[in-house]
Amino acid sequence: MNCPECGAADSLCQTRFDEFLVLEFTDPSYGIVHNLTVCTFMVQHSSRMSREGWLYQRGLLRDFIIENKSPATIRKQIKDNVDSGKRTFKFKSKDGVPVINKTTWAKTILGVRIENAEVYCADINAWARATLEDAETITI
Ligand SMILES: [Zn+2]
């Protein structure tokens, strides 16, 4: 069965995501796109988040891609928000029901090639950009 959320064949997206995380943690030349990998995967799999959580992830993706903010800058923003109690919403989904009803995307994680770090980072970027473009059309 294809993934009901991103449309990946045989629902291989989760397996691939887990493999990518291991790769990113063990090899820093792959790890530089870690923020994009996580954020993009989350935007495509909204059942893991609350509505606010999903909007927040999409905002993060926008920050990374459009505003070109570094993960360090974002981490500081998040920390400031948490410290000041600004983020009051819950990230995690309570019921596991997708908060968006999109099931087809221009690119999925299955299109990312891993043969070397250069190709990998370029493909993660392309996947993230395409996903943001798709996600920008969603109103929830
Ligand atoms: Zn999926």
Side-chain angles (χ1 to χ4, degrees):
M1 195 183 84
N2 293 351
C3 173
E5 298 194 72
C6 76
D10 298 327
S11 293
L12 286 170
C13 43
Q14 181 67 55
T15 313
R16 193 64 64 87
F17 181 64
D18 294 339
E19 286 167 8
F20 284 5
L21 293 192
V22 172
L23 190 61
E24 290 176 358
F25 283 123
T26 46
D27 186 339
S29 58
Y30 286 79
I32 51 173
V33 292
H34 178 66
N35 55 312
L36 286 178
T37 308
V38 173
C39 201
T40 307
F41 190 80
M42 289 303 158
V43 166
Q44 288 192 341
H45 297 86
S46 70
S47 67
R48 295 143 196 245
M49 284 161 289
S50 63
R51 179 179 179 277
E52 291 80 6
W54 187 83
L55 289 168
Y56 186 82
Q57 290 291 340
R58 183 177 65 175
L60 271 187
L61 200 52
R62 205 180 274 151
D63 280 349
F64 289 134
I65 291 180
I66 310 287
E67 312 286 335
N68 222 3
K69 287 185 187 167
S70 72
T73 306
I74 304 264
R75 267 196 299 277
K76 187 175 179 311
Q77 271 181 9
I78 293 170
K79 190 177 176 304
D80 289 350
N81 280 346
V82 171
D83 288 352
S84 67
K86 266 189 210 153
R87 205 191 85 196
T88 52
F89 64 86
K90 292 270 173 282
F91 247 101
K92 280 200 168 164
S93 172
K94 279 198 214 82
D95 51 17
V97 174
V99 296
I100 59 172
N101 58 14
K102 189 167 179 58
T103 54
T104 53
W105 301 82
K107 287 180 193 294
T108 73
I109 197 168
L110 301 193
V112 176
R113 297 162 298 165
I114 62 165
E115 50 261 43
N116 63 58
E118 204 181 321
V119 161
Y120 179 77
C121 294
D123 281 0
I124 291 283
N125 266 286
W127 171 48
R129 277 179 185 281
T131 300
L132 178 62
E133 237 171 76
D134 285 343
E136 291 287 23
T137 65
I138 299 168
T139 38
I140 61 169

